[in-house]
Amino acid sequence: MKKLMALFIATLLALSCAAMAEAPGFHAEGMPIVDEPVTIRVLTMRWADMGDSFADNPFLVNLEKESNVKIDWQIVSSNDWGDQKPIMLAGGTEVLPDVVLGFQTFNESDIMSNVEYFVPLEDMIEKYMPNLMKAFEEMPALKAISTSADGHIYSLPSRMPKRPIACNVPVINMQWLKNLNLEVPNTIDELEAVLTAFKEQDANGNGDPNDEIPFTSIGLGTDFLMPFGINDPNGTGFLINEDGSASYIYTSEQYKEGLKWAHKLYAAGLIDNETFTQDQIIRDAKCDDPEVSRVGFGYAWSYDAIFRRWMNEYAVIAPLAGPDGVRYQQGDKNGVSSLKSNQLSITTVCRYPEVVLRWADQFYTGEASIQNFWGGLGEVTSDNGDGTYSLNNPPEGTSADAWYWARSLRDFGPKYSSLEFDSRIVLDPTQGDGLKVAMDAETAQYVHDCFPELKYTPEEYSELSFLGADINTYVDTMRAKWVTEGGIDEEWDAYVAQLNVMGLEEMNAIYLGAYARYQQAQ
């Protein structure tokens, strides 16, 4: 049945490709792309009521003039897209646009479950997209994440500019250390001693030795277990080992030993007893208490967003060395959440896919990428004339992040900033994106390889959704139990056995099979 279905889909694709014709006056190189204007309908989803101001981005406006490719933007809101998307996919070629832009619009499961509506792009990429081909050569992982489980490329990728390498980083209250005459901790044993001092002494100096919280978080994720060799910034539940192989984190010895250490700290009152019950509002209220700084240590994407009025008391420190003496930092060497697939797909409705790909190839340069991530040159971004680029200050009353979203495609759509071009982007190290990148100075060097975001077959997506629901809930429940109550040594074997009953071996086989395909695609 699968072979018959594959043959049927291949036939449909062949027929649809045969119906496509090269656009009149098309140029495989240079500008314009076509002699006479061609209109392409591009569907993209935007958050809430962001609107269409991004379409006035100078890069997009100038590209339309130079290329003769006119874009008819079909913008849907995230508020409605959940209901609209299945209707559109069910309607097929009667309602589909020429192009779908942004990983948030159609994901890999959407495409693979409706693959007959999407054009395989790999041959045309080689023919019409020299900028993307150069990016594939410079960063093979970019091609690997673009390659679907059947070996075809149905969507174009992106690498966002100047992304940080480290994910959530260790942050400590330097004022508290100074008040208690303590040194910055370097190991988990030294951290335990510091947290004990934070708990037992008047670390914040307000005269009350009982209002300090040594460590707090929302739940206890893999950030806290980094010293035990855990790196899972994509939340896959898998770890890349030193030999390049992959293994499931939550049955590993590192994870078990990490939870034993966490329970030791919890039992000593060094971990907030509301860690597993509080939400972000409660956690933030503790970190931003209007009266006094109350939290000594934590993990944060950017400490200015959590500690706010007390942010000047905090600093990023190097990751703590664990039992093996090595420092580990969660993150991605290619940039956290920087590599994304499904940024542009062409449907079989499109008459001129070669025009779309030539248009899209213009996005795969450094200058194009900063304009489509932050905003146009001369407006949001500036060419400093010495080979470097910087961001301008937002208008009065507007936050930088809101400005970027209003004036660019931001996270969505094709782009590629090489590591070399990244080095020429100058960001303000005191706020926003620049502050987060500046935090890498203490932490990025300790980031190890991480398990990537992968692509699966429709059957694998279905199986993972079914298996993951029970397995993930059970893992989370047992983690909370073992940190707060202990007992992991006595219950570990039964825990692993229960996971196997739930289908852990089948789930592992799917993930590891997809990882093998990913490695082969590079």
Side-chain angles (χ1 to χ4, degrees), residues 235-264:
T236 62
F238 280 78
L239 178 71
I240 298 297
N241 303 308
E242 291 300 321
D243 62 1
S245 64
S247 57
Y248 186 61
I249 290 172
Y250 302 115
T251 54
S252 68
E253 194 65 23
Q254 301 105 300
Y255 178 69
K256 179 182 178 182
E257 292 304 310
L259 291 191
K260 288 169 69 173
W261 174 67
H263 172 63
K264 177 184 177 185

Side-chain angles (χ1 to χ4, degrees), residues 169-172 174 184 300 303 314-318 438-440 442-443:
V169 295
V171 176
I172 201 163
M174 300 297 288
V184 171
Y303 57 79
Y314 293 84
V316 177
I317 64 173
M439 292 180 184
D440 271 3
E442 291 287 348
T443 54

Side-chain angles (χ1 to χ4, degrees), residues 237 248-253 255-256 259 470-482 487-504 507:
Y248 186 61
I249 290 172
Y250 302 115
T251 54
S252 68
E253 194 65 23
Y255 178 69
K256 179 182 178 182
L259 291 191
D470 287 341
I471 288 175
N472 294 337
T473 298
Y474 181 60
V475 166
D476 291 345
T477 299
M478 295 306 295
R479 176 166 60 248
K481 179 180 185 296
W482 286 332
I488 191 169
D489 280 329
E490 298 82 0
E491 299 173 1
W492 182 257
D493 291 343
Y495 160 77
V496 173
Q498 180 60 32
L499 285 174
N500 286 328
V501 170
M502 291 178 165
L504 179 62
M507 188 183 79

Side-chain angles (χ1 to χ4, degrees), residues 52 83 152 184 396:
D52 60 359
D83 295 327
H152 288 299
V184 171
E396 189 72 26

Side-chain angles (χ1 to χ4, degrees), residues 262-410:
H263 172 63
K264 177 184 177 185
L265 269 57
Y266 186 90
L270 307 182
I271 293 177
D272 187 350
N273 61 10
E274 293 185 317
T275 288
F276 291 100
T277 58
Q278 67 187 351
D279 58 17
Q280 182 174 332
I281 294 174
I282 296 174
R283 190 278 310 269
D284 288 356
K286 295 173 180 177
C287 294
D288 192 33
D289 189 305
E291 301 299 327
V292 66
S293 61
R294 296 185 58 208
V295 177
F297 177 76
Y299 287 89
W301 173 261
S302 177
Y303 57 79
D304 61 329
I306 296 178
F307 296 106
R308 297 176 189 173
R309 75 191 74 210
W310 305 107
M311 62 172 286
N312 292 331
E313 292 192 0
Y314 293 84
V316 177
I317 64 173
L320 300 156
D324 62 1
V326 177
R327 298 181 192 266
Y328 299 91
Q329 169 61 53
Q330 285 212 114
D332 187 335
K333 292 180 179 179
N334 290 318
V336 176
S337 300
S338 179
L339 301 187
K340 290 289 185 183
S341 62
N342 304 114
Q343 291 286 31
L344 186 148
S345 300
I346 301 176
T347 75
T348 54
V349 173
C350 182
R351 295 178 62 198
Y352 306 126
E354 76 284 357
V355 171
V356 174
L357 292 186
R358 283 227 53 222
W359 175 81
D361 197 48
Q362 310 313 307
F363 289 71
Y364 287 102
T365 69
E367 275 199 3
S369 296
I370 62 172
Q371 294 181 84
N372 285 293
F373 188 61
W374 288 300
L377 284 169
E379 181 190 16
V380 180
T381 53
S382 290
D383 182 342
N384 299 322
D386 58 0
T388 66
Y389 300 82
S390 57
L391 303 184
N392 300 325
N393 293 324
E396 189 72 26
T398 302
S399 72
D401 193 58
W403 195 37
Y404 303 152
W405 277 104
R407 302 305 301 155
S408 76
L409 291 168
R410 195 57 168 150

